[in-house]
Amino acid sequence: MDKTIIITGGAGFIGSHVVRRFVTKYPGYRIINLDALTYAGNLENLRDIENAPNYFFEKANILNTDDLERVFTLYQPDGIIHLAAESHVDRSILSPLDFVYTNVIGTVNLLNAAKQYWKDDSSGKRFYHISTDEVYGALGKTGFFTESTAYSPNSPYSASKASSDHFVRAYGETYHLPVIITNCSNNYGPNHFPEKLIPLFINNIITQKPLPVYGDGLYTRDWLYVKDHAAAIDLVFHEGKEHETYNIGGFNEWRNIDLVKLLCKLMDEKLGNVHGASEKLITYVKDRPGHDRRYAIDAAKINKELGWKPSVTFEEGLKLTIDWYFENKEWLTHVTSGEYQQYYNEQYTTR
Ligand code: NAD
Ligand code: DAU
């Protein structure tokens, strides 16, 4: 085997695309999916590759140092790609401490495990931390986030991710851990949990529920197809420079209301509805507290230095995403039963 890589959070949305890419593209690598299987983790996301000889699943929690020691000792990894996290901003507003535990303390536990396991010999090793553009806070009407933009997180989620980024950087400086960080914009695509805007609205159009647009709907996000993010992660893991940070973005800014209208149009086409049918479900609701007005990534560094750029247009990516949800209605039914209903009621019924 060429390399052994632990991917944390591999049963989640982005993690499952990263795991699949590495398992299929690098048959010589051993890929260990370390995941606690929280509400967001779902092994159904990986059914197609679960029997691959180079794929291993370990149900383990990054908050449990015994779990980490066991997995590190068992597999002796050369690389870590760290995606495990609490990832939803609205949940962080309801329950900030869960985000501190998993995103901050969990990340420090993982850094300690790598430090302890690799000791002074970290040549050829890599600790790759996956982070978000939300650490930079909000932009006004113009400008972009670059790698040197000051951190200014506004939500408990982004504060916890910012903190984890600082710890990763600090372990690089203090203990010479071979760290690397990427900060990416909003992902969308297959397997996206329907608490986030795009899959929530696809599900609500299918089930004919209101589409809850927060505030005035003029908030702007920079959207990237999840498989393009997985391709960027592959490239950075293999060719990125140690101790560097790279921003990853879609070159694709959309105001929420414009995105929702495009989604409604594509869903109407898919469902054979008359034009405008799904738009009738749009309902403006109370805003998210601390809502960041605009995110936009300047991805020039990863583009120039590593040659990465997105491969699909937004309309292509959205069509692929919608097709996936229609072909995987059973997946949608599974993930929206149980805990999801309770969260949905808490989040939306009093808005
Ligand atoms: P997700 O919520 O879909 O998946 C998170 C995964 O982590 C789940 O499989 C869950 O079971 C696992 N997990 C949670 N707590 C754990 C713990 N204590 N121990 C082990 N596993 C645990 O998240 P996602 O949207 O795929 O995001 C993955 C990473 O990418 C996160 O670090 C997130 O901050 C970052 N990110 C996400 C986006 C986005 O648009 N979704 C954009 C930029 C960065
Ligand atoms: O920017 C990267 C981040 O993108 C990631 O780090 C996060 O993990 C990921 O969840 C995402 O955060 P956002 O808060 O931007 O994504 P979300 O899909 O929750 O919301 C996108 C926009 O849509 C945001 O402006 C809030 C709005 N929104 C969201 C929901 C769920 C609504 O108007 N209504 C909704 O019901």
Side-chain angles (χ1 to χ4, degrees):
M1 290 283 169
D2 291 327
K3 272 186 203 306
T4 296
I5 304 169
I6 293 179
I7 300 180
T8 72
F13 166 47
I14 302 171
S16 60
H17 288 277
V18 177
V19 166
R20 177 178 298 97
R21 184 178 176 99
F22 275 71
V23 165
T24 53
K25 188 172 166 197
Y26 304 108
Y29 288 10
R30 279 200 309 176
I31 302 302
I32 323 303
N33 174 10
L34 186 163
D35 199 296
L37 299 184
T38 67
Y39 80 92
N42 184 353
L43 291 177
E44 270 183 84
N45 294 348
L46 292 164
R47 279 282 176 266
D48 55 323
I49 56 108
E50 69 186 1
N51 294 321
N54 62 337
Y55 171 70
F56 302 82
F57 173 67
E58 288 290 341
K59 186 170 186 317
N61 196 316
I62 55 171
L63 287 172
N64 183 328
T65 52
D66 292 341
D67 274 3
L68 294 181
E69 195 184 327
R70 179 181 65 75
V71 176
F72 272 70
T73 310
L74 182 63
Y75 294 102
Q76 309 183 1
D78 309 294
I80 316 292
I81 305 180
H82 176 38
L83 296 107
E86 288 294 337
S87 68
H88 190 37
V89 173
D90 291 325
R91 287 188 194 251
S92 82
I93 295 165
L94 295 173
S95 187
L97 263 183
D98 290 344
F99 286 69
V100 176
Y101 289 131
T102 297
N103 299 356
V104 186
I105 298 173
T107 299
V108 176
N109 284 340
L110 199 64
L111 286 162
N112 281 337
K115 170 176 163 282
Q116 200 172 324
Y117 183 70
W118 290 333
K119 299 212 164 57
D120 292 329
D121 182 21
S122 58
S123 60
K125 308 289 194 288
R126 176 147 286 186
F127 188 108
Y128 178 7
H129 177 61
I130 307 300
S131 192
T132 171
D133 60 356
E134 302 205 7
V135 298
Y136 299 122
L139 288 166
K141 285 206 171 79
T142 57
F144 294 91
F145 297 135
T146 71
E147 287 78 3
S148 58
T149 301
Y151 276 30
S152 182
N154 291 316
S155 73
Y157 164 69
S158 53
S160 69
K161 291 298 288 188
S163 173
S164 66
D165 291 8
H166 290 322
F167 273 104
V168 172
R169 188 190 135 77
Y171 271 59
E173 293 298 312
T174 305
Y175 306 112
H176 309 295
L177 211 65
V179 299
I180 195 155
I181 300 174
T182 50
N183 296 84
C184 187
S185 65
N186 287 62
N187 285 215
Y188 70 98
N191 307 96
H192 205 182
F193 194 80
E195 63 188 353
K196 313 277 167 59
L197 181 74
I198 291 178
L200 178 81
F201 280 30
I202 291 175
N203 187 39
N204 283 14
I205 293 171
I206 292 173
T207 54
Q208 289 293 289
K209 289 212 284 237
L211 304 177
V213 173
Y214 295 165
D216 61 7
L218 301 180
Y219 294 85
T220 299
R221 296 291 181 268
D222 172 1
W223 294 93
L224 176 67
Y225 191 55
V226 64
K227 293 186 188 188
D228 282 330
H229 188 191
I233 290 173
D234 180 357
L235 196 62
V236 171
F237 181 79
H238 289 99
E239 292 175 32
K241 278 200 213 116
E242 240 172 59
H243 305 289
E244 290 279 327
T245 289
Y246 298 88
N247 280 353
I248 304 171
F251 302 95
N252 180 39
E253 281 185 58
W254 282 78
R255 295 189 313 180
N256 290 342
I257 191 62
D258 299 332
L259 184 166
V260 169
K261 286 183 177 167
L262 172 62
L263 189 64
C264 286
K265 175 177 141 304
L266 296 175
M267 287 294 286
D268 283 342
E269 284 166 16
K270 183 80 184 173
L271 289 160
N273 285 343
V274 292
H275 180 67
S278 297
E279 275 194 26
K280 294 204 176 103
L281 296 171
I282 293 175
T283 313
Y284 287 91
V285 298
K286 196 167 140 225
D287 210 348
R288 170 188 280 175
H291 200 170
D292 287 329
R293 195 61 167 168
R294 175 173 165 258
Y295 302 145
I297 282 275
D298 176 352
K301 179 175 173 183
I302 188 171
N303 177 253
K304 282 203 193 101
E305 292 185 15
L306 304 181
W308 176 88
K309 63 175 181 357
S311 72
V312 294
T313 65
F314 193 42
E315 191 146 339
E316 283 164 353
L318 270 185
K319 281 187 181 155
L320 289 169
T321 305
I322 290 169
D323 288 348
W324 187 87
Y325 281 93
F326 275 79
E327 283 154 21
N328 291 275
K329 285 202 174 133
E330 212 176 303
W331 181 95
L332 208 43
T333 308
H334 290 171
V335 302
T336 53
S337 57
E339 190 270 352
Y340 181 83
Q341 294 302 334
Q342 199 186 324
Y343 165 76
Y344 195 90
N345 291 338
E346 190 173 353
Q347 182 64 25
Y348 293 104
T349 46
T350 56
R351 253 197 147 92

